[in-house]
Each structure stands twice: as structure tokens, then as C-alpha cells.
Amino acid sequence: MLLKANRLRELALGPVLMLLGLASAGAAAAGDKVNQVNMAPGATEIGQSIYDLHMLIFWICVIIGALVFGVMFYSIYYHRKSRGVTPSTFHESTKVEIAWTVVPFLILIGMAVPATSTLLEIYDFDDAEMDVLITGYQWKWKYEYLDENGENVSFFSNLRTPQGEIYNTADKGEHYLLEVDEPLVIPVDTKVRFLVTANDVIHSWWVPELAVKKDAIPGFINETWTRASTEGIYRGQCAELCGKDHGFMPVVVNVVSKDEYAGWLETKKAEAAEIRDLMAQTFTLDELMTRGKAVYERNCLACHGANGEGGVGTAIAGSAVAMGDVSGHLEIGINGVPGSAMQAFGGQINDVEMAAVITYQRNAFGNNMGDMVQPIDVYNHKKG
Amino acid sequence: MGDHHHGPAKGLSRWLFTTNHKDIGTMYLWFSFSMFILGGAFAMIIRAELFQPGMQLVEPAFFNQMTTLHGLVMVFGAIMPSFVGLANWMIPMMIGAPDMALPRMNNWSFWILPPAFLILAGTLFMEGGAPNFGWTFYAPLSTTYAPPSVTYFIFSIHVLGLSSIMGSINIIATVMNMRAPGMTYMKMPLFVWTWLITAFLLVAVMPVLAGAVTMMLMDIHFGTSFFSAAGGGDPVLFQHIFWFFGHPEVYIIILPAFGVVSQIIPTFARKPLFGYDSMVYATAAIAFLSFIVWAHHMYTVGMPVAGELFFMYATMLIAVPTGVKVFNWVTTMWRGAMTFETPMLFCMGFLVLFTIGGFTGLMLSIAPADFQYHDSYFVVAHFHYVMVAGAVFSMSAAVYYWLPKWCGRMYNETMGKTHFWISFIGFNITFFPQHFVGLAGMPRRIPDYALQFADFNMMSSIGAFIYGASQILFLYNVIATIVAGKPTSEAKTWEGAEGLEWTVATPAPYHTFETPPQVR
């Protein structure tokens, strides 16, 4: 039926699009998904059942539509006054009314049966082989692989598309707006359970080809799952309006072989161990400044400006916070300013990064406070 | 009472202090049209930004304000008041009453509307901008994370709700008490029936909306945590309350449209409505069902499976009475003697496009499939097929149908038909491709999109500009008719028209049915 739909598209839409001169060259880069007109069955069994259900109901609607519109257009053509017809006066027929109440009802039962069975399949969360905690943030996703031994691996997944592409100063890449710095990696043929929540407002985690869409709600944890049967990269987006950059928090899932996944997980665990080692170190001011600059550019620059001059956020150059008490500065960095755009970064960057960026803010942009924050200070501040 | 026969007062005071249902109806209609233009302008900004991938005209933050205000203005400012205006004009004339039952309240319920919308539109110029959380204003985006203007938005919603409740009480009181002798319930024109049921829906759900925004107000300013999990509240509770209002709300919008179509199709088919009784029962059934299906807007929030099943089955059931309506309209046309003046064309457009919107509605009711459709452009396409091609088309039909009666002048048929065809074509170019991008995975309410959606979005934007322009033609056509249309004094403008409104003089005098007619 997909073939049929494709053929239909070519036949019906091709000429229309050409007439309008819309066959844009830029879009061709995005590959076979360009001008996709129908749902994709995707890479999961559930996706296939949903697709079949969708097509079943679509065709039922097409048939009913053809009948109703057929009668209507027959009538419009043959029962028009200009053909000299005299109007009938018939009206009211209980038999007919009962018929067109009962028949649709039976058709609905026919639809409800497969719909129910697919729904029950989707709600079967048992026997998941691994769990991933997904947390929505304004405006990025955090993935945390829950490990039985407590060796959790977690990272943030941010939009990778450069501002220049968005603001049309650079050519748009193939996966414009659908690319991230670090995708979620899951193994093929494995039932992966997703626990979905949010840190601030409601988001919704959607990957069409994995047939998963679940709202991420602050304070609540939702369950959903997938089992991808084909390796590949699957792309989706946040589906629930979540503020300014709702359109700029894509989801990218990389489905890999089980071996590759195991290797990847080991690497991530090693990285995590490395960071734990770093936490115990004491850094020099220069080391902190170098690290801090990188952290600043990734996390702070968008709101506070390249030179700490401010923007959406307050200015950091010469600010009372950056030039005041260290613990007040740490407090804002770690816990944010509730009710404002200043987020709590305590859970988003690690203690080394936090120490570095606070140090950087206190010594860059002419602030020159000369003091330093070490990872242990961040740790102690978090402990209270 | 003979001495009190007088015409309207002169000047501005006529409009400010009027208690006349026709004057108030006229004001409602003009007000709603101006809101339609305003909401349309917001839509044009949205479509212009979406013309191509990349950010060109506005910033994402402003884009969100546009989608929010477009929805709010169209639902609460354009569609709802337009049907209240129509009710004001037509219900007394259709049931043989001299005026609405509560004329002073009628004046009040109109005149609080413009200030409410002034406040709402004024938020655009406030610090932090206008509401930017979508017309469905889900918490906590609309509470903890909202711009300061949210308080003005809440006040404005309260006032709109007040206006709607007063308007509905008035309609209920009028229909129940002021019918002419012999005008039994089951002889009332369907437009009156659908409005009576709509009015009950409004009285039932507007206070729920008021409750929702009051809880938001408390959360924002008085330290409560109704919708904040951190304080023991529940963000999903907001959605339950909102949609308990929101789902009946969509029937509040569409039922009067059903009423209009049920008046017009028999006129131009020159044949009585097939199945009047079942149309009344179907309307009542839809109204009842509208109260028990709200969570189909929330299939992805993580309801238990039993909840999903209940709301899925209940929602699917709506297809039955809706189907009954469509079958009855089509059967009314069958073996009639049809002509296709502008009102009939708009009704035919309604019938085809609303049915398509109904089909996509049925698809959306299927919970597992909705996991893919939800919050995608497929939903945007669906509700514009029912809201625009449903409510707005039928409203256009109503204006062309009754305009000669209102002003004693005939509109230009060629211009009317041109308006229809441009609207119909523009509408479909706009919204049909949105089904495709939605199914292909484009989420709604995004200011920028991936490259594979580019062609259909450009098409959609072009259609939107065409549709937008056709409404200017509509405005011109209406003004040209009022100012310089061909005068007509025929009581019955349309050969096949039935009903009391066609028994009074044309143009309808300032006061009608001061002596009630006898209905047999």
C-alpha cells in the first residue's frame, strides 16, 4: 500500500508541484523523505501495526467518503433545477434513520477490535531488557542509562545545527534541525523501556519511525518502550509546545548492533570514570580558565553574551554576582533563579565543569577577582 | 403600546445603549469579522515565516505569541461571537418573538467583549510579550514559565466567559419563553434547536474554563500549587480541566454551523429537511457525548490503558450522530430541485470539507494511531477542516443567505460565487498538504522545520495568502451590498425558503413580531 501511495503521490502531486515551481533543490538533500505524504511503518513491529491500523481506517473512510460524495455529486448533477426537475417532497423515514445509525455503529466495532489489540500491545511494558530515563529540558534532552550496579551513564543531547544555518547565513545541511551533538544509542532487537519525565515544562518525546510519542511531564514519570528491528539513525522532535525553542530540540536515536552497543557503553562508562577522577583533582587557575571558557561558550554564551555583556540574561561583566561572594555565585550556577530563564545547571554540567565556569566568570570579562573554585567546592556546596 | 413604535436612536448612543436584538446582532457580526481579520493577520505572519525553512521574518518567541493569539482570537473573538450575532438576529425572528428575553443583559454581554479583546491584543505591547503558550495554555508553561502578561490574559478569558454565559442564558430564556403560539419545540427551525443545545453546553463549560484560569492565577500570584508537581499539584490536572471545557467548546462552535446548513440546504434543494426529528436527536446526542470524550486530546499523557480505551470508544461513537447529520443533508438534496447560489455553494463546500474533517477526526480517535498523529500537522489540518470549512464556511453561507433580509439589498451573485471558489481553492491548498507533512512527522507549533517538509509548507503558505485575500473580497462584497446593492423588498428572498423570518418585510423592520404570529 505504501507503493500505491507513492505512485498516487507521483501521479497527483508531481505535476501540481511542478506547476507551482516548488521542486526546491535544497529539499532534495534530505533524501527519500522529501515530500513524504504518508505515515512510515518505521522500524518496529508496533510501528507496522499502527501503520496497518492507520491504512485500514483510511481506506474505510475513503470508501464511505466515495459513497457519500458519490450520492451527493450525482444529486448535484441530476437533481438540479436547471434540468427541469420537480422536487420530491419525501421526508422522515424511521427505517432509514435506524439503518444509518446501526451500520456505522457496526463499522466502528470493526475498527475498535484491531485498535484495542494494538493498544494493548503498546501498553505491555513487561520484559524490558534495558531502561533509559529520558528527561526533557528547555530545550534539550537528557538520556540516562539505568544500570543495575549504579554505574549510570548519562549525557545531554543538544541541537547541533549552527545558528548560521537557521538564520540563513550558511547553507542548510542534510539533516537541518534534526541533528544533535550526541544521539541516544540503543541496541537492535532489544526491548528498551523509556522512562520519560521533564525538568521544567511539559515536553513530548517523539520518534515517528520508532512509533513512540510520550509526554515528558515534570514531577511524573511515564513509561513507554520500543524494539527496533533494523539498525539505523532515526530522527524525531519534541512534539509538545515547550517555549521559545520548542522547534529546536530534536531527538536522534542511533540503533546499532548489540556488540557495537556494548562497546559504546563501555566507552561511556570509562569516560564517566575519568570524570570522577577529575573531580578529585585540584586545578590551577589557567587550567580552570581554559576549561571554563569552553563550558561558558557551550552553556552560557547564548544568553549572557560572548563578552559577558548580557542579552536574554543579565550581564556577567562587572556583575554583583560574579564579583561578590563565591557561594552566592555557586548557588545561582547550581540551582538557577526560579521563575526566570536562568536554569539550574547543577544537574546539567558536572562539578569540574561547574568549578571551571564559575572561575572563568569571576576572572574573565575584566572581572579579575583572582579567586578560584575547585570541584570539591562545588561538591560541598551541593551537599549544603 | 402603539405610541412606543419608534426607530433607532441617532448617532453613537444608538449603538452604545441599544437593547434591540438586531442592532446587537449587527454589532456582534462586525466585531467578530474584525477579529477574524485580526486573527487572520496573525495567521498570515505564521504562514509567511513558514514559507521557507530557516528563520526569516520573526523570532521563535514572537512566533509562539502569534500561534497563541491566532487561536485565541479566532476561537473566542471570531467564531463564537459571530454565531452569537447570528443568534441575536435570527432567533427572535425565527420563533416569532419581538426581541431577546433579556435585552439589557444582551447589550452588556456584547459591550464587555471589545475591552476584553483590547486587553488581550494589548498584551502584545507588554514587557515580555503576549501569551506564548498556545491557545490551550498548558501548565506549567502558562504558569511558572509564563510571561507577566498572562495575568491580563486570565482577566480577558474571565470577561469572555462572562459574556458567553450571559449570551447563552439569554438565548435559553428567549427560546423557552418567547416562542410564538403554536411554535412547539419540535417545530422550531433547526438553527434555533442547535443554538438552544449550544447555549446549554456554554453554560455548563464556561465556568469550568473560568475555574481553570482562576487556579492558574492562584498558582502564579498566591502561592498555590494546583498545577505544579513540586508543590504537590499535577500538571495533567490542568489538561483534564481544560479539555473538559475544550471538547464541548468545539461543539459549541460547530453545532450552530450545523443549524445554519440545515436551514440553507432545504431552501436551495426546494425540499423539506429529511429527518428533522433525528437531526434534533443527533444534535442532542453529540452534545451529550462531548462531555465524556475530553481525554482523547491527551492520549499521550500517560493515562492507564482502561482510560485510553474508554475515551477511544466514546470518541468513536461521535461518528454515529455526526454521520446521521451528513446522511440527512445528502438525502435532503436527493431528488430535490437544486440551484447553487452563493449560500448553497458554501454549504456544499461545508458538507464536503467538514466530512473530510470528520474522517480525520475518526482516525484521530483511534488511540494507538493517535500516538503518531498527536501534536503533528495532521491535527492542525484536521481541526482547520472542521473549524474553517465547518464554522467559517457556514458563517459565510449564513451572511449571504440572510443579508438581503437584513439590509433590503441583494448582494452581487458573481462576486459571491467568486468569493466561494477562491476560498474553497485557497483553503484546500493551505490545509490539504498539512495532512502530508503531519503524517511524515512534522510537529505543530514550530517556527522552523526540516528540509523534507519544505515544498508542502510553501504550498500551504501560498494557499493561506489566497484564502486570506478572498476574505477581503468578502468584506468588499458585504459593504458594497449594504451601500449600493440592488434594493429588494421581497419578503421571501429565496424561492424555497421556509420559516417565520421570511414572513416579515424586507428589509426587516427595527421591531418585528410585536404581535406574535400564529404558528400552525
Side-chain angles (χ1 to χ4, degrees):
Chain A
M1 278 199 244
L2 186 65
L3 268 178
K4 230 183 249 172
N6 281 336
R7 175 64 54 80
L8 205 68
R9 178 187 87 196
E10 279 158 28
L11 286 177
L13 288 164
V16 177
L17 286 175
M18 272 189 279
L19 270 178
L20 289 167
L22 293 181
S24 79
D32 59 348
K33 294 200 177 63
V34 174
N35 298 337
Q36 181 185 331
V37 293
N38 199 2
M39 188 189 284
T44 62
E45 265 178 54
I46 294 286
Q48 185 66 49
S49 327
I50 291 178
Y51 174 81
D52 292 342
L53 196 57
H54 158 74
M55 290 315 288
L56 170 77
I57 293 165
F58 172 73
W59 285 115
I60 292 176
C61 288
V62 168
I63 292 165
I64 298 174
L67 289 174
V68 171
F69 296 147
V71 173
M72 185 178 154
F73 285 110
Y74 181 91
S75 187
I76 284 177
Y77 189 77
Y78 288 101
H79 305 149
R80 52 166 66 219
K81 198 183 172 204
S82 53
R83 292 175 66 97
V85 291
T86 42
S88 308
T89 53
F90 71 85
H91 62 103
E92 304 286 339
S93 159
T94 313
K95 273 182 203 152
V96 174
E97 299 285 354
I98 289 174
W100 63 39
T101 305
V102 172
V103 173
F105 186 76
L106 295 176
I107 296 174
L108 287 178
I109 291 176
M111 293 178 181
V113 171
T116 305
S117 76
T118 305
L119 190 68
L120 292 176
E121 269 177 67
I122 294 173
Y123 266 74
D124 175 13
F125 306 117
D126 295 342
D127 306 320
E129 293 158 76
M130 56 177 280
D131 290 332
V132 180
L133 175 66
I134 299 174
T135 311
Y137 285 74
Q138 283 180 323
W139 292 274
K140 56 198 155 211
W141 297 98
K142 181 187 180 188
Y143 301 118
E144 188 164 3
Y145 293 71
L146 305 180
D147 183 278
E148 284 167 7
N149 306 319
E151 287 181 53
N152 290 354
V153 163
S154 79
F155 56 86
F156 280 86
S157 184
N158 297 287
L159 176 73
R160 204 182 61 193
T161 304
Q163 291 291 304
E165 291 188 18
I166 296 170
Y167 286 91
N168 313 305
T169 52
D171 287 344
K172 296 181 184 6
E174 183 182 356
H175 299 296
Y176 177 69
L177 294 188
L178 299 179
E179 53 197 348
V180 294
D181 53 0
E182 194 167 4
L184 176 73
V185 178
I186 55 170
V188 75
D189 292 325
T190 307
K191 185 163 182 176
V192 184
R193 189 168 66 138
F194 299 118
L195 301 166
V196 188
T197 185
N199 182 59
D200 33 50
V201 300
I202 300 177
H203 304 267
S204 189
W205 198 80
W206 182 26
V207 184
E209 285 161 296
L210 297 182
V212 172
K213 183 186 285 134
K214 206 70 175 182
D215 290 359
I217 299 166
F220 290 79
I221 294 180
N222 271 329
E223 268 185 309
T224 183
W225 63 275
T226 193
R227 185 205 297 273
S229 50
T230 327
E231 290 174 33
I233 294 176
Y234 303 103
R235 295 166 201 276
Q237 285 179 270
C238 176
E240 181 64 60
L241 179 62
C242 56
K244 177 170 74 76
D245 286 342
H246 163 56
F248 304 94
M249 51 181 294
V251 176
V252 179
V253 181
N254 192 5
V255 177
V256 298
S257 70
K258 289 181 182 180
D259 287 347
E260 198 181 327
Y261 171 74
W264 173 85
L265 194 63
E266 281 313 307
T267 323
K268 292 304 288 183
K269 281 184 179 173
E271 272 176 30
E274 207 174 302
I275 289 167
R276 274 197 295 278
D277 288 344
L278 281 176
M279 302 268 205
Q281 282 185 31
T282 306
F283 294 89
T284 65
L285 183 60
D286 280 351
E287 284 170 340
L288 287 171
M289 288 298 281
T290 315
R291 283 175 184 274
K293 187 166 192 295
V295 178
Y296 183 86
E297 282 166 2
R298 205 165 58 239
N299 294 286
C300 318
L301 186 145
C303 297
H304 295 289
N307 298 307
E309 72 275 20
V312 175
T314 53
I316 287 175
S319 83
V321 174
M323 301 188 72
D325 176 36
V326 172
S327 76
H329 195 174
L330 272 172
E331 175 60 26
I332 289 178
I334 293 170
N335 295 321
V337 181
S340 80
M342 179 59 199
Q343 304 174 24
F345 282 92
Q348 301 187 30
I349 60 179
N350 64 45
D351 292 0
V352 179
E353 290 170 319
M354 182 62 78
V357 79
I358 298 281
T359 305
Y360 179 74
Q361 290 182 359
R362 299 180 74 78
N363 291 288
F365 320 131
N367 287 351
N368 302 328
M369 292 295 288
D371 52 6
M372 273 190 275
V373 179
Q374 295 294 343
I376 185 73
D377 301 327
V378 179
Y379 178 81
N380 286 337
H381 188 98
K382 283 184 181 169
K383 281 279 176 192
Chain B
M1 297 290 279
D3 322 345
H4 293 281
H5 285 203
H6 54 75
K10 296 280 175 248
L12 192 63
S13 62
R14 164 175 177 183
W15 302 104
L16 276 177
F17 305 125
T18 184
T19 54
N20 180 288
H21 73 103
K22 298 186 183 78
D23 281 354
I24 294 172
T26 303
M27 289 194 295
Y28 262 112
L29 290 170
W30 278 114
F31 174 75
S32 63
F33 193 82
S34 58
M35 287 297 111
F36 183 57
I37 296 296
L38 179 68
F42 295 151
M44 293 302 112
I45 294 173
I46 293 170
R47 281 319 321 174
E49 177 54 54
L50 293 174
F51 188 72
Q52 279 185 318
M55 300 304 301
Q56 285 89 10
L57 300 171
V58 297
E59 286 298 313
F62 187 72
F63 183 89
N64 287 345
Q65 298 172 28
M66 289 294 101
T67 52
T68 306
L69 288 181
H70 167 69
L72 290 170
V73 166
M74 285 304 196
V75 168
F76 294 105
I79 299 180
M80 287 171 69
S82 72
F83 283 109
V84 179
L86 205 57
N88 255 297
W89 252 103
M90 302 318 300
I91 288 180
M93 281 164 68
M94 285 176 155
I95 62 174
D99 204 312
M100 297 296 278
L102 308 161
R104 281 177 205 285
M105 193 168 83
N106 204 10
N107 171 295
W108 183 229
S109 67
F110 171 75
W111 274 112
I112 61 175
L113 271 186
F117 276 95
L118 214 58
I119 291 169
L120 188 63
T123 58
L124 270 172
F125 305 100
M126 287 176 192
E127 180 84 35
N132 54 12
F133 29 67
W135 87 275
T136 51
F137 51 102
Y138 280 9
L141 189 62
S142 63
T143 53
T144 321
Y145 295 83
S149 61
V150 65
T151 308
Y152 292 90
F153 155 82
I154 291 171
F155 181 65
S156 149
I157 293 285
H158 270 306
V159 176
L160 304 181
L162 205 61
S163 162
S164 289
I165 292 170
M166 291 197 293
S168 317
I169 290 174
N170 208 347
I171 287 169
I172 294 171
T174 306
V175 174
M176 287 191 153
N177 298 307
M178 312 233 339
R179 281 169 289 122
M183 175 65 83
T184 59
Y185 279 112
M186 290 312 273
K187 278 186 190 161
M188 292 195 311
L190 259 167
F191 178 72
V192 181
W193 253 118
T194 54
W195 241 116
L196 179 64
I197 291 170
T198 302
F200 276 105
L201 287 180
L202 273 166
V203 170
V205 300
M206 289 316 276
V208 178
L209 178 68
V213 293
T214 306
M215 283 190 258
M216 282 169 60
L217 190 75
M218 303 286 281
D219 273 11
I220 294 167
H221 293 294
F222 303 108
T224 58
S225 296
F226 289 109
F227 306 131
S228 158
D234 181 352
V236 180
L237 173 67
F238 173 86
Q239 297 182 27
H240 282 293
I241 299 173
F242 179 83
W243 287 114
F244 187 83
F245 146 80
H247 200 78
E249 167 68 18
V250 306
Y251 292 100
I252 286 165
I253 287 172
I254 203 66
L255 291 183
F258 287 171
V260 166
V261 173
S262 304
Q263 299 300 128
I264 295 177
I265 290 182
T267 298
F268 294 96
R270 292 169 181 77
K271 184 164 158 285
L273 189 68
F274 186 84
Y276 170 93
D277 291 11
S278 61
M279 284 294 236
V280 173
Y281 301 143
T283 311
I286 291 173
F288 168 74
L289 287 172
S290 77
F291 282 108
I292 56 165
V293 296
W294 75 89
H296 66 217
H297 298 269
M298 306 162 51
Y299 282 143
T300 61
V301 299
M303 267 186 295
V305 70
E308 300 263 332
L309 287 174
F310 170 79
F311 286 108
M312 174 168 81
Y313 298 151
T315 305
M316 291 172 81
L317 275 184
I318 296 183
V320 175
T322 312
V324 166
K325 289 202 155 270
V326 172
F327 299 145
N328 270 298
W329 287 321
V330 173
T331 317
T332 303
M333 291 157 61
W334 185 255
R335 287 178 49 209
M338 280 188 284
T339 50
F340 297 93
E341 289 85 347
T342 310
M344 184 64 160
L345 281 181
F346 270 104
C347 284
M348 296 297 98
F350 165 97
L351 203 48
V352 172
L353 301 179
F354 176 81
T355 304
I356 293 175
F359 285 141
T360 52
L362 180 61
M363 294 169 80
L364 283 158
S365 77
I366 308 293
D370 181 75
F371 293 152
Q372 294 282 36
Y373 308 138
H374 183 79
D375 266 335
S376 77
Y377 255 84
F378 190 76
V379 176
V380 177
H382 158 72
F383 69 72
H384 282 95
Y385 266 79
V386 287
M387 295 286 105
V388 180
V392 179
F393 271 35
S394 83
M395 196 60 219
S396 309
V399 169
Y400 285 113
Y401 185 59
W402 282 302
L403 193 59
K405 174 57 71 183
W406 295 339
C407 67
R409 289 173 187 274
M410 194 62 194
Y411 64 87
N412 180 317
E413 196 62 64
T414 313
M415 265 209 289
K417 285 179 175 168
T418 313
H419 168 215
F420 168 75
W421 283 110
I422 298 179
S423 292
F424 184 85
I425 293 165
F427 172 86
N428 282 294
I429 297 178
T430 311
F431 294 107
F432 206 76
Q434 294 186 357
H435 292 113
F436 301 153
V437 288
L439 291 173
M442 179 169 162
R444 62 190 283 207
R445 293 167 165 168
I446 56 174
D448 195 7
Y449 47 83
L451 300 179
Q452 70 246 35
F453 307 127
D455 291 351
F456 287 134
N457 269 286
M458 188 180 279
M459 205 167 167
S460 200
S461 290
I462 291 170
F465 302 144
I466 296 172
Y467 184 76
S470 77
Q471 302 314 310
I472 306 297
L473 182 65
F474 183 33
L475 177 67
Y476 174 79
N477 204 355
V478 169
I479 292 177
T481 307
I482 295 171
V483 176
K486 198 167 135 244
T488 167
S489 57
E490 268 180 286
K492 216 167 138 176
T493 311
W494 312 105
E495 181 193 14
E498 300 285 344
L500 288 178
E501 79 264 35
W502 303 110
T503 63
V504 301
T506 296
Y510 199 55
H511 295 288
T512 38
F513 294 124
E514 284 161 300
T515 320
Q518 183 66 43
V519 179
R520 264 177 290 278

